[in-house]
Amino acid sequence: MIAGMWIRSTMAYRASFVMTTFGNFAATALDFVAVLLMFSRVDRLGGYSLPEVAFLYGVSATSFGITDLVVGSMDRLGRRVRDGTLDTLLVRPAPVLAQVAADRFALRRLGRVTQGLLVLAYAIAVLDIDWTPLRVLMVPLMLLCGAAIFGAVFVAGGAFQFIAQDASEVQNSFTYGGTTLLQYPPTVFAKDLVRGATYVLPLAFVNWLPGLYVLGRPYPLDLPTWIAFTPPLIAAGCCALAGVAWRAGLRSYRSTGS
Amino acid sequence: MGTGRLYTAVAVGGFRRYATYRTATAAGVFTNTVFGLILAYVFMALWDEKPHLGGYDQAQALTYVWLSQALLMAMATMGGGFEDELIERIRTGDIAIDLYRPADLQLWWLSQDAGRAMFHLLGRGAVPLAFGALFFELALPADPLTWIAFLIAVALGTVVSFSLRYLVALSAFWLLDGAGVAQMSMIAGVFCSGMLLPLNVFPGALGEVVRALPWSSLVQGPVDVLLGTADPLGTYAFQASWALGLLTLGRLIQSVATRRVVVQGG
């Protein structure tokens, strides 16, 4: 309902909506333009070809785009905690998390999802994949679980902002930084960074582990094959943890007193 | 108060204003370091594949990564300096009050932005660069003269950055809502400044075009001066002519725009 309200308010300025959606599309497409520019000079990056990188990029960008569409306003929470306007949300008869998520719900963020899907479609069209039913199923599963994992990171980041009010940028480095990391093959990065993205902040489950199964590539860190099928479990675990963190954060909230 | 002292005071105010947000600065340093880390590995893979790409060796390419992260906020490559505030003042009409003040509008904001850039260079630039130098093999020069030459190029780059964003802000006199223009300017800033990828890696004619545009003064120019891959004097001349041209254009548009304010009855 709150999301609907924000949609109606942006639709009041249709030209502006079209412009900002396109702008959003173009701004996020720049990442992929960088990849294209790199491949204009080299044939492989970390041993991966352009369509393979595009596949990883497409999955990461689309699932991140879905998350951004749903809970992308989470980084505004710090400001709300600081200036005390979070109080308005607390007295309304709706879950605070849902309200924060829908805060300034911006349909223009569809630009990001569209861009990710286009790159993914290109990759799937060009790649020569031996499609088994499992591999076909894996693609939508990756997008959903990936969005859930990113969502958990967003919510946990929001919970963190209850404590550190001005630090929304720290959250950005895990969300935006995370999606940038996943846009490149794991072979590019140092082992410790890949380990961190697997065991500490399980971003590798968004696209690296299930994606490499689809591409038929060896896994990083000598992980077993069945690990490709664990993203739903990991996603559920992350969401549960983020929920606990969110409750703790919300309980620690003291208003500004002004 | 002498005019020189007035604008110095404004610059100091700009510096102090950003220095207030300590947690935000620390958080920003963290973000720049994370992105620097990711890009550093991508660049290493790229230069492994093709050594001497764009005329850099691997150490120079890594230096490029960390310097561009260090300059990101000082150069306001992605926008987000004074222009949002100026756009808001134009939209609400508060600009009329500013025009009555016995200070030059453009110089006022330039001084304020210079203070902001100075703070971001120290507050958000030094730590990521130090982190990069600690964990990666960088090609930083030992000669202090090269560093001074680099800082001059940085100073000129911030003026070019200011003059571009001043034009963005002035567009609000006609459009009222500056969001669209600001977004386009951000896209141009990221793409054409060399934030995304060094401009000399861009292929063929595209590379020549982006290197000739004003945005190359923001990142590519200063970094090349530090790496010793560009002649400092040539870089300064390039930056200064863009700065001068854009500032003059800003002044012309400003006088047309302020006449508009008067016509509307202030």
Side-chain angles (χ1 to χ4, degrees):
Chain A
M1 195 193 75
I2 300 165
M5 179 188 86
W6 282 110
I7 291 173
R8 274 202 304 283
S9 91
T10 36
M11 281 306 171
Y13 303 95
R14 263 166 224 277
S16 186
F17 169 75
V18 172
M19 249 175 86
T20 48
T21 309
F22 174 75
N24 230 275
F25 177 86
T28 51
L30 278 186
D31 287 339
F32 192 65
V33 172
V35 173
L36 287 177
L37 283 173
M38 288 176 194
F39 275 97
S40 76
R41 309 304 293 268
V42 297
D43 296 329
R44 264 158 203 278
L45 195 64
Y48 284 66
S49 66
L50 175 61
E52 286 174 312
V53 174
F55 181 77
L56 292 175
Y57 177 100
V59 174
S60 167
T62 309
S63 38
F64 185 75
I66 297 171
T67 310
D68 187 48
L69 188 66
V70 181
V71 292
S73 306
M74 213 51 116
D75 54 355
R76 294 175 47 84
L77 182 71
R79 200 181 317 166
R80 278 191 175 277
V81 171
R82 198 171 62 237
D83 62 20
T85 47
L86 187 70
D87 294 2
T88 350
L89 306 187
L90 289 175
V91 296
R92 286 195 198 137
V96 180
L97 183 58
Q99 292 186 61
V100 174
D103 194 12
R104 298 199 166 255
F105 180 83
L107 207 55
R108 63 159 190 277
R109 296 201 188 112
L110 276 176
R112 191 187 280 278
V113 181
T114 316
Q115 192 262 338
L117 279 174
L118 281 177
V119 175
L120 184 60
Y122 155 78
I124 289 176
V126 177
L127 277 171
D128 189 19
I129 296 174
D130 174 24
W131 287 109
T132 60
L134 260 180
R135 285 199 166 121
V136 174
L137 194 69
M138 193 64 104
V139 176
L141 190 74
M142 266 196 287
L143 297 181
L144 286 180
C145 296
I149 293 173
F150 275 129
V153 177
F154 263 99
V155 172
F160 175 67
Q161 287 185 59
F162 279 111
I163 310 159
Q165 311 173 353
D166 249 347
S168 65
E169 281 233 45
V170 171
Q171 184 183 358
N172 288 348
S173 31
F174 290 116
T175 51
Y176 290 88
T179 173
T180 310
L181 179 81
L182 297 178
Q183 284 164 3
Y184 297 96
T187 44
V188 163
F189 302 102
K191 275 245 159 60
D192 284 331
L193 204 60
V194 179
R195 260 187 214 114
T198 309
Y199 301 117
V200 184
L201 195 70
L203 292 170
F205 293 86
V206 171
N207 68 344
W208 281 350
L209 299 173
L212 298 187
Y213 171 79
V214 176
L215 293 174
R217 282 275 188 164
Y219 296 152
L221 315 173
D222 302 319
L223 290 163
T225 320
W226 54 262
I227 202 101
F229 302 97
T230 51
L233 287 176
I234 300 287
C238 287
C239 289
L241 279 176
V244 171
W246 174 260
R247 273 165 175 278
L250 191 60
R251 213 167 298 140
S252 76
Y253 174 67
R254 302 266 176 279
S255 192
T256 51
S258 58
Chain B
M1 206 188 239
T3 36
R5 274 180 56 201
L6 169 70
Y7 295 116
T8 315
V10 174
V12 172
F15 184 96
R16 283 223 183 114
R17 180 169 161 197
Y18 285 90
T20 328
Y21 302 107
R22 274 186 225 129
T23 336
T25 305
V29 165
F30 185 75
T31 309
N32 285 135
T33 311
V34 168
F35 274 91
L37 206 59
I38 296 171
L39 277 179
Y41 283 112
V42 174
F43 276 36
M44 278 200 299
L46 200 56
W47 262 265
D48 267 347
E49 196 67 37
K50 201 158 207 171
H52 300 289
L53 181 60
Y56 294 144
D57 59 27
Q58 194 166 44
Q60 286 176 317
L62 286 173
T63 314
Y64 190 100
V65 169
W66 291 102
L67 278 176
S68 61
Q69 285 300 319
L71 288 176
L72 172 70
M73 286 303 283
M75 291 297 173
T77 330
M78 305 176 77
F82 71 96
E83 65 272 25
D84 299 336
E85 199 181 336
L86 184 53
I87 287 171
E88 192 58 23
R89 292 190 76 81
I90 293 172
R91 200 179 59 80
T92 55
D94 285 345
I95 190 78
I97 305 163
D98 298 345
L99 290 170
Y100 276 124
R101 291 208 177 109
D104 182 77
L105 192 68
Q106 197 182 30
L107 261 179
W108 172 282
W109 288 106
L110 177 60
S111 325
Q112 211 249 30
D113 198 56
R116 180 204 60 81
M118 187 76 92
F119 171 73
H120 277 146
L121 192 63
L122 296 170
R124 297 250 331 230
V127 179
L129 186 59
F131 180 90
L134 201 60
F135 291 100
F136 293 87
E137 195 125 345
L138 302 190
L140 293 171
D143 184 10
L145 279 178
T146 317
W147 282 97
I148 294 170
F150 165 70
L151 289 178
I152 296 173
V154 170
L156 282 168
T158 55
V159 180
V160 176
S161 163
F162 165 82
S163 52
L164 283 167
R165 285 174 293 130
Y166 196 68
L167 293 177
V168 169
L170 287 181
S171 75
F173 272 110
W174 285 270
L175 299 172
L176 291 180
D177 176 32
V181 182
Q183 194 168 36
M184 291 303 146
S185 136
M186 182 204 109
I187 293 172
V190 173
F191 189 74
C192 304
S193 69
M195 262 324 284
L196 208 57
L197 207 62
L199 297 181
N200 39 21
V201 174
F202 283 42
L206 180 66
E208 274 163 47
V209 171
V210 286
R211 279 193 293 275
L213 294 175
W215 288 280
S216 72
S217 312
L218 307 190
V219 178
Q220 186 74 47
V223 173
D224 273 339
V225 168
L226 190 80
L227 290 174
T229 47
D231 164 43
L233 293 180
T235 309
Y236 300 161
F238 176 82
Q239 292 176 307
S241 30
W242 269 120
L244 216 63
L246 291 167
L247 285 174
T248 316
L249 183 63
R251 203 147 266 272
L252 280 174
I253 295 179
Q254 181 189 327
S255 67
V256 176
T258 47
R259 227 169 291 141
R260 239 176 93 87
V261 175
V262 177
V263 171
Q264 283 180 346

